[in-house]
């Protein structure tokens, strides 16, 4: 009986505290499809915290994805990768392709981060 009471006490202390902590919140995932010359994001609005961008180049030329100073490598057609970015404040964050001429061709957008 004493063991059962101890386990309930431990579970009660760990369960709710962990559920409410920031570290237990799964990062948001945003799929980024790069084509010639546009981005298509699966979400245009996310809550602040860590966001995992799953980036794929479906276009016919090389592209990359840059947001808040972090960027992917340049991907050839069919290549993909992951970029993790932590957003500590709400706001509008511009994303671009840094390949010369691609922003002018339309490879830019805005991700809204909410509180």
């Amino acid at each position: 009986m004493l063991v059962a009471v101890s386990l309930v006490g431990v579970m009660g202390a760990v369960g709710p505290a962990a559920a409410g902590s920031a570290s237990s919140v799964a990062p948001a995932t945003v799929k980024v499809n790069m084509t010639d010359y546009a981005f298509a994001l699966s979400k245009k609005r996310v809550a602040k915290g860590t966001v995992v961008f799953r980036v794929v180049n479906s276009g016919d030329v090389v592209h990359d994805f840059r947001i808040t100073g972090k960027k992917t490598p340049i991907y050839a057609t069919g290549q993909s990768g992951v970029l993790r970015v932590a957003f500590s404040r709400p706001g509008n964050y511009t994303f671009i392709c840094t390949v010369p001429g691609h922003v002018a061709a339309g490879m830019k957008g805005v991700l809204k981060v909410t509180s």
Side-chain angles (χ1 to χ4, degrees):
M1 180 102 174
L2 183 58
V3 172
V5 171
S6 295
L7 288 176
V8 171
V10 169
M11 293 301 288
V14 172
S21 71
S23 63
S24 68
V25 176
T29 299
V30 176
K31 295 176 185 173
V32 180
N33 187 37
M34 301 181 293
T35 59
D36 303 328
Y37 289 87
F39 287 108
L41 275 62
S42 62
K43 298 175 187 171
K44 294 182 181 182
R45 171 183 233 133
V46 295
K48 73 178 181 176
T50 300
V51 177
V52 176
F53 294 96
R54 299 200 178 277
V55 183
V56 63
N57 182 2
S58 299
D60 292 326
V61 298
V62 298
H63 298 294
D64 66 7
F65 177 77
R66 179 178 171 192
I67 189 165
T68 69
K70 294 191 175 199
K71 76 179 210 69
T72 66
I74 292 178
Y75 295 129
T77 300
Q79 289 185 318
S80 62
V82 173
L83 181 67
R84 293 177 68 93
V85 179
F87 295 95
S88 60
R89 290 184 242 189
N92 293 321
Y93 294 85
T94 301
F95 54 87
I96 64 169
C97 176
T98 67
V99 175
H102 288 204
V103 169
M107 287 200 79
K108 59 186 173 182
V110 175
L111 177 73
K112 182 169 183 83
V113 175
T114 61
S115 55

